[in-house]
Amino acid sequence: MDTRARAQELYRIALDDAAWRPELLTDERGWSGTDFAAALQLLSRLDLFVPAPETRSGWTALAPDTALRNLLLTEERHTGSLLAAVQQTRSALAQVVADFQPVHARELSSVHMEVVTGTANVSAALEDASQRVEDEVLSLHPGRALQAGMIEAGLERDRLALGRGVRIRTIHLGSASAVPHMTAYLRRLTAAGAQVRTAHTLPLRLIVVDRSLAVVPAPVSADGGIAAIVLRSETLVEVFRGIFEHCWAGASVLTDTGSGSEALAGDAEWQPTSRHRELLRMLSGGLTDEAMARKLGVSERTVRRLVSELTERLGAASRFQAGVCAVRLGWFDD
């Protein structure tokens, strides 16, 4: 006999005789204590049995419709409690939205991003930024040297800003600064009061104005023209300031000799420069000649020549072997 059948028999006995005793089932009908407890638990869960301390068994049997009504009332009370809790939560959420949504909206409104396309519009945005600057301009300039005619307007903007007491710090690729007209431009910029450094690689083109505006490249437009993103947000600008400061710490002060190619052969005391180490790191990273040329701001032909000179200096038969030799010589110990 399963638990349901025993529960039906127990329910029948309780309806027939309200003075029934548990021993009737355990002693006379051979139910085990576990069988009796399981049947009793089922009837109690269905509200067909309710506690009645004044009876011999401790239980009273209810009619099925009464038990069903009690179950429904219990569920209604439970559901009512849940609905009340839901309503309370809804009210609390509404209060949160009323109190904090304006604060969030003000924070979002403080972040402004504008995409500027076309050479003329980008130049206008830079001119506007140069007119607004009050404290400091930071800039990174990866890529090859600009044409001579394109740098004069920028130099004039920088001179005007420096004349107003604005601090200017800028980093250019060493390969670009070695181009004669760029060398002359950077010397003139330094003479005007700017701080200029050079690096062998730079992560992106970047201009930061004070602590509230940054200009970074945007994806090239459909017509192939240049595009830039102008960001106005102290939080985001601080991120780009951190990028600049990291590059500044590793850059070299501009010298009169420039950053042209160094001779590799004919010097027994020769030591690799940071450019050589950077080139070997990119080789070990599996970069193509095109990618290395883009990062160093030189032509692919120059990259191939530098790689050939390095492998010859190291006596290596391949680029991979050149990297191994460089590690053995301690070139990457820094």
Side-chain angles (χ1 to χ4, degrees):
M1 182 183 299
D2 61 15
T3 299
R4 184 173 294 276
R6 290 193 180 91
Q8 289 175 339
E9 184 174 351
L10 177 56
Y11 181 64
R12 188 181 305 110
I13 291 172
L15 290 177
D16 292 343
D17 182 8
W20 66 277
R21 294 176 295 105
E23 294 81 2
L24 175 65
L25 297 166
T26 55
D27 296 343
E28 298 180 13
R29 302 201 179 190
W31 287 19
S32 68
T34 302
D35 294 338
F36 176 75
L40 188 62
Q41 182 181 26
L42 177 57
L43 292 170
S44 175
R45 188 169 66 248
L46 296 174
D47 264 10
L48 291 169
F49 267 25
V50 295
E54 70 278 4
T55 64
R56 296 181 62 182
S57 64
W59 297 91
T60 294
L62 301 179
D65 57 339
T66 302
L68 180 59
R69 184 173 62 252
N70 291 341
L71 284 173
L72 289 175
L73 287 174
T74 301
E75 289 302 318
E76 286 177 359
R77 287 193 295 270
H78 179 62
T79 302
S81 298
L82 288 177
L83 290 175
V86 169
Q87 184 60 41
Q88 185 178 6
T89 302
R90 182 182 288 113
S91 299
L93 290 175
Q95 189 63 48
V96 168
V97 172
D99 290 345
F100 295 98
Q101 182 66 22
V103 178
H104 183 248
R106 286 196 297 272
E107 180 65 22
L108 288 178
S109 65
S110 67
V111 179
H112 178 72
M113 181 182 74
E114 178 185 4
V115 178
V116 182
T117 58
T119 302
N121 291 328
V122 172
S123 296
L126 294 176
E127 180 65 32
D128 180 71
S130 70
Q131 295 294 329
R132 294 172 179 268
V133 61
E134 298 179 354
D135 181 43
E136 184 178 49
V137 177
L138 314 174
S139 60
L140 302 178
H141 299 276
R144 299 180 182 179
L146 297 175
Q147 297 178 3
M150 296 178 64
I151 63 177
E152 291 301 322
L155 178 60
E156 185 59 28
R157 283 197 299 266
D158 292 338
R159 279 176 169 169
L160 290 173
L162 288 165
R164 300 198 309 270
V166 173
R167 297 189 304 275
I168 293 180
R169 288 189 290 159
T170 182
I171 309 176
H172 289 257
L173 282 185
S175 57
S177 67
V179 176
H181 73 269
M182 282 296 294
T183 302
Y185 158 68
L186 294 177
R187 287 175 179 168
R188 291 160 65 193
L189 185 60
T190 301
Q195 298 180 61
V196 180
R197 292 187 179 184
T198 62
H200 295 302
T201 59
L202 292 171
L204 78 165
R205 189 172 298 277
L206 169 67
I207 299 175
V208 176
V209 176
D210 294 333
R211 292 181 176 270
S212 59
L213 185 144
V215 181
V216 295
V220 178
S221 58
D223 59 1
I226 67 171
I229 299 174
V230 180
L231 293 167
R232 294 180 175 88
S233 165
E234 291 185 4
T235 302
L236 292 177
V237 170
E238 194 61 31
V239 173
F240 288 110
R241 283 182 58 85
I243 294 174
F244 175 87
E245 295 295 353
H246 175 78
C247 296
W248 183 261
S252 303
V253 177
L254 182 69
T255 62
D256 291 337
T257 56
S259 303
S261 298
E262 300 85 353
L264 289 172
D267 184 358
E269 301 299 325
W270 179 85
Q271 291 294 321
T273 66
S274 56
R275 169 185 271 188
H276 300 137
R277 292 189 176 92
E278 187 64 32
L279 183 65
L280 285 165
R281 286 191 183 96
M282 289 189 286
L283 282 173
S284 65
L287 271 66
T288 63
D289 289 351
E290 179 184 1
M292 289 188 290
R294 187 167 57 251
K295 285 183 172 293
L296 292 172
V298 298
S299 67
E300 293 183 48
R301 181 177 180 180
T302 299
V303 168
R304 288 192 291 270
R305 176 178 59 79
L306 290 172
V307 172
S308 176
E309 290 172 344
L310 278 171
T311 54
E312 181 178 353
R313 161 66 66 175
L314 293 167
S318 66
R319 295 183 173 194
F320 175 78
Q321 189 178 6
V324 173
C325 292
V327 171
R328 290 175 177 172
L329 291 172
W331 287 7
F332 296 135
D333 288 349
D334 60 333

